[in-house]
Amino acid sequence: MLNMQLSQMNNLAMLTPPSAIELNALIPGAIVTLVAILFILIDVFHRKGTPRDYLAYFSVVGLGVAAASTYFLWDDVLARPVFFGMLYFDRFALFFAALASVAGGLAILCSPAFLRSHRMDRGEYYLLVLLSVVGMIFMVAAADLLTLFVAFEVMSIPIYVLAGFLRDDGRSAEAAMKYFVLGAFSATIMLYGIALIYGATGTTNLEFIGHNLAYLQVAEGVHAGYWMALVGVVLILSGFAFKIAAVPFHIWAPDVYTGSPTPIVGFMASAVKAIAFAAMLRVMVVAFSFESLRGGFFGYGWIDVLFVLAGASMVLGNLVAITQNNVKRMLAYSSVAHAGYILVGFVAANSHPSFFLHNDAILFYLVAYTFGVIGAFGVLAYFGRRGEAVETYEDLGNLGFKYPVMGLVMGICMFSAAGIPPTAGFLAKLYIFSSAVDASIQTGEFAFIGLVILGVLTSVAGVYYYLKVLVYMYMKPALREFRPLDHIGPKVAVVACAVLTLYLGIFPGRALELSREAIVDFVGAPAAVQSVIDQANPIVPDFAVEPAVVAAEPVL
Amino acid sequence: MSWEPTLIHYLLLSAAIFSIGLVGVLVRRNAIILFMSIELMLNSVNLTFIAFSKYRFDMDGHIFAFFVMAVAAAEAAVALAIVLHVFRHKRSVNVDEAQQLRY
């Protein structure tokens, strides 16, 4: 009886006929895919022994066009899922499509000279980055656990390959193996969670999962299917926690970051984390946000799980980063700590539907963090010549005076990561923590204030190891000579990152506006969240109104 | 006396296979065996999907299982390449010997 009702409801809504306008949803992803396919063709005609820089520039242009296309699509979004409930085409997805494309482009710019020095100047490298970006673009747009899982793997598998791309380097091989074993393991656990959710609700569509879970609970009380769904939620959450490298799912991060090619580490630390956060937000809000599953302040829901993860990531990430001597390992632990800060905002903004709009702080943080981290790894890639790369703090000695631009960029990125004004990192932390305090005051729960205090204290600890980089760069003698990879690519990329980090720190208005628009145009939210969104966005534009077409007779 | 397997039997079987794969990943040290264990876990998930799909007269689970198979094939290709890569450097596929990156 219940099953029949549910499946009938699913079928009716799925039968909304597709229209040509839905094809717009594919444009950013299609551009990147097209560039990737052209790439394979161009690479066939490559003359041996000549540099492949033009392939890098070509893919940067392609990613730039994809990012620019989101600007032109910004007003063409649809307020319903497209392609029979498989994808969303909203500003939230476009925002992250642009972020992923930009991050991929910056990482690619850092790469050509680095690869040449490692004798791995291959076209496949750029192709794999492009394919990973395609996976990211579709992952944030996923409206169904099937699309989510496939996009998740399309994003991950190229990065497993890229981690082991330096063929002559045993450490790169080791990094790839560690990343792959743990990544595939966590993806499988997530998949088992998806299977349990499917079993409990009879559908893989996020919105129907949300409806059906709430219905299951109302109709039959807490019964076996509900418990099965609860296990499924925890398993899916652990898959996301692995990708964002939150404690205790962070074990892979330091080793993989140390061994992988440096430009790829920047991509991994920024885009993969940002996209995993975005997809987690979508899945958790759309499918699993009804009250008893959500929990909040130790009501034992997924909010409480993330609450503990946030605290643990901030403390462990910062404290362990202090003890590191290798700069890339330090940045790995610092990325764990940043996952913790973002989780503070995530937990606070989703603890109650009325705080949903606070999620714009997360979006701003992810943008700020992306530029900061790619800039830092770009500088390391610039000094990453094979066999004489910068590894430890001592290696950084006097680099700041010898290479003033790189020193300045590193300084700005470290200031941003530490949260010192006037950089983007400061404002990002401010917005995250103030949204948590706001949530705390409005609900009268002091748990979030506790988390904020923990966050501020641990970020003070973070200042120590971020400034240690600058102390070595400007106040310690050089131990050895470096021959930096003198190439225009990394210079342009890191200077762009530094300029953007400063710009966002001084003029955050436009970026905040964009993240606000992205979060206000979040499609698929359940009714409680939707009413909050509607209050913020009272005038529904014409293009969003489409009559719901219901098929005359149920098929099947 | 006739006996027919029902949903719960399939779920128990797939949970058992999943656990065997999970324990395999945790205790075995040969990289190839690790990947085999992960494949075992993926296939137990497929069994779960198909069992639920059959139980609910809904085709979504069948389709999901096909996608999982395709992804598993892609993962296997990458996995074997990575193991080969590691073997070329270390002359061994024992994951305990992959210690170059610690500290």
Side-chain angles (χ1 to χ4, degrees):
Chain A
M1 171 65 190
L2 176 68
N3 287 345
M4 216 188 74
Q5 274 183 356
L6 292 181
S7 67
Q8 227 170 47
M9 187 177 85
N10 296 356
N11 285 329
L12 288 178
M14 292 289 189
L15 283 173
T16 310
S19 55
I21 199 168
E22 293 188 357
L23 289 172
N24 282 344
L26 294 181
I27 288 177
I31 291 171
V32 184
T33 314
L34 203 68
V35 173
I37 292 170
L38 277 176
F39 227 97
I40 303 174
L41 291 177
I42 293 172
D43 206 39
V44 170
F45 297 104
H46 180 78
R47 189 140 34 88
K48 267 196 173 151
T50 50
R52 280 188 165 82
D53 290 12
Y54 65 94
L55 286 177
Y57 301 136
F58 178 57
S59 44
V60 169
V61 169
L63 289 169
V65 172
S69 75
T70 61
Y71 175 81
F72 295 106
L73 293 170
W74 198 252
D75 288 331
D76 297 333
V77 289
L78 296 174
R80 57 178 174 83
V82 296
F83 297 113
F84 297 100
M86 277 294 167
L87 290 176
Y88 287 118
F89 178 42
D90 55 1
R91 288 178 185 166
F92 182 76
L94 287 178
F95 183 90
F96 281 99
L99 186 65
S101 308
V102 170
L106 289 172
I108 284 178
L109 269 182
C110 294
S111 302
F114 182 87
L115 291 178
R116 240 194 326 282
S117 94
H118 285 266
R119 284 182 287 156
M120 280 306 295
D121 190 15
R122 301 296 196 86
E124 296 93 305
Y125 180 90
Y126 309 112
L127 180 74
L128 288 167
V129 176
L130 288 172
L131 290 178
S132 182
V133 171
V134 173
M136 290 172 177
I137 289 173
F138 284 113
M139 192 168 155
V140 280
D144 191 291
L145 289 173
L146 179 60
T147 8
L148 181 89
F149 174 71
V150 173
F152 186 86
E153 293 291 341
V154 171
M155 173 182 87
S156 304
I157 291 177
I159 296 192
Y160 301 145
V161 182
L162 287 168
F165 203 76
L166 305 179
R167 234 180 12 188
D168 297 341
D169 189 349
R171 301 198 307 166
S172 180
E174 190 182 320
M177 188 171 73
K178 286 181 170 167
Y179 195 27
F180 179 82
V181 170
L182 293 175
F185 185 59
S186 72
T188 311
I189 287 176
M190 183 175 167
L191 190 63
Y192 196 57
I194 294 176
L196 293 181
I197 294 286
Y198 170 67
T201 61
T203 171
T204 52
N205 184 292
L206 292 177
E207 281 176 58
F208 294 134
I209 289 172
H211 289 156
N212 293 5
L213 280 178
Y215 186 75
L216 272 184
Q217 221 207 355
V218 173
E220 306 184 4
V222 176
H223 79 322
Y226 178 75
W227 289 109
M228 198 156 73
L230 207 59
V231 175
V233 173
V234 172
L235 296 184
I236 290 178
L237 209 56
S238 69
F240 283 124
F242 175 87
K243 279 288 166 212
I244 62 175
V247 174
F249 301 94
H250 70 291
I251 302 293
W252 59 277
D255 286 3
V256 172
Y257 283 26
T258 321
S260 307
T262 314
I264 283 308
V265 183
F267 185 59
M268 243 190 247
S270 60
V272 174
K273 192 177 291 236
I275 298 302
F277 261 110
M280 183 162 88
L281 183 65
R282 176 89 80 182
V283 171
M284 288 303 163
V285 170
V286 175
F288 306 127
S289 74
F290 72 93
E291 185 119 23
S292 60
L293 206 54
R294 191 180 62 229
F297 195 39
F298 304 110
Y300 297 106
W302 54 266
I303 284 285
D304 301 296
V305 176
L306 291 178
F307 186 92
V308 174
L309 254 54
S313 304
M314 289 189 299
V315 172
L316 202 102
N318 277 309
L319 292 188
V320 181
I322 289 174
T323 66
Q324 299 301 317
N325 193 35
N326 183 315
V327 180
K328 276 164 98 180
R329 277 188 93 81
M330 178 277 277
L331 286 172
Y333 279 108
S334 109
S335 89
V336 173
H338 281 287
Y341 298 134
I342 302 170
L343 278 175
V344 173
F346 194 95
V347 166
N350 295 302
S351 59
H352 191 270
S354 58
F355 304 137
F356 180 75
L357 297 178
H358 286 332
N359 278 312
D360 61 350
I362 299 177
L363 269 59
F364 184 79
Y365 198 110
L366 288 170
V367 173
Y369 173 72
T370 295
F371 294 129
V373 82
I374 291 186
F377 280 108
V379 172
L380 292 182
Y382 184 72
F383 296 111
R385 187 182 290 279
R386 180 164 191 248
E388 45 186 279
V390 168
E391 301 248 314
T392 59
Y393 282 111
E394 281 81 20
D395 290 341
L396 288 169
N398 205 30
L399 279 185
F401 286 118
K402 208 165 169 203
Y403 304 99
V405 177
M406 290 295 152
L408 200 64
V409 169
M410 197 65 169
I412 291 170
C413 292
M414 288 297 113
F415 270 45
S416 177
I420 298 170
T423 55
F426 165 71
L427 283 181
K429 273 209 182 73
L430 181 72
Y431 293 135
I432 286 268
F433 289 150
S434 64
S435 81
V437 171
D438 197 38
S440 201
I441 289 170
Q442 286 192 33
T443 53
E445 299 282 14
F446 289 102
F448 297 134
I449 295 221
L451 213 51
V452 169
I453 291 172
L454 196 64
V456 172
L457 287 180
T458 51
S459 56
V460 170
V463 172
Y464 167 75
Y465 57 81
Y466 290 126
L467 292 192
K468 199 170 159 192
V469 171
L470 298 189
V471 167
Y472 274 94
M473 281 188 112
Y474 287 103
M475 299 179 191
K476 300 275 175 168
L479 287 189
R480 55 189 170 99
E481 283 295 302
F482 282 99
R483 289 181 296 141
L485 298 165
D486 207 10
H487 189 266
I488 184 77
K491 284 181 190 164
V492 170
V494 298
V495 169
C497 285
V499 168
L500 281 166
T501 304
L502 273 183
Y503 176 78
L504 290 178
I506 300 167
F507 305 108
R510 186 70 192 125
L512 269 178
E513 227 171 79
L514 284 178
S515 29
R516 186 82 175 178
E517 281 176 33
I519 212 70
V520 166
D521 194 66
F522 182 96
V523 179
V529 176
Q530 192 61 47
S531 66
V532 176
I533 293 175
D534 289 341
Q535 276 168 17
N537 193 17
I539 304 157
V540 181
D542 288 328
F543 56 80
V545 181
E546 285 200 25
V549 182
V550 178
E553 49 192 284
V555 180
L556 185 119
Chain B
M1 195 172 129
S2 71
W3 180 81
E4 281 219 350
T6 60
L7 175 70
I8 192 74
H9 301 106
Y10 285 110
L11 291 187
L12 285 175
L13 176 65
S14 68
I17 297 176
F18 189 85
S19 311
I20 291 169
L22 199 119
V23 172
V25 173
L26 295 179
V27 304
R28 297 305 291 262
R29 283 294 156 256
N30 183 315
I32 306 266
I33 307 272
L34 282 187
F35 295 137
M36 283 168 64
S37 302
I38 291 173
E39 292 293 312
L40 202 60
M41 289 164 73
L42 279 172
N43 283 321
S44 78
V45 174
N46 276 348
L47 185 59
T48 314
F49 268 120
I50 304 239
F52 278 133
S53 192
K54 190 78 182 153
Y55 171 72
R56 291 187 171 275
F57 299 103
D58 182 79
M59 286 309 283
D60 289 3
H62 291 275
I63 294 163
F64 215 121
F66 275 112
F67 276 94
V68 173
M69 282 182 216
V71 166
E75 274 189 352
V78 170
L80 292 178
I82 289 174
V83 171
L84 210 61
H85 187 184
V86 171
F87 184 76
R88 275 182 49 231
H89 286 281
K90 302 210 190 306
R91 293 279 135 204
S92 152
V93 290
N94 188 328
V95 289
D96 276 345
E97 287 172 30
Q99 295 195 337
Q100 236 181 321
L101 288 171
R102 291 167 76 183
Y103 311 111

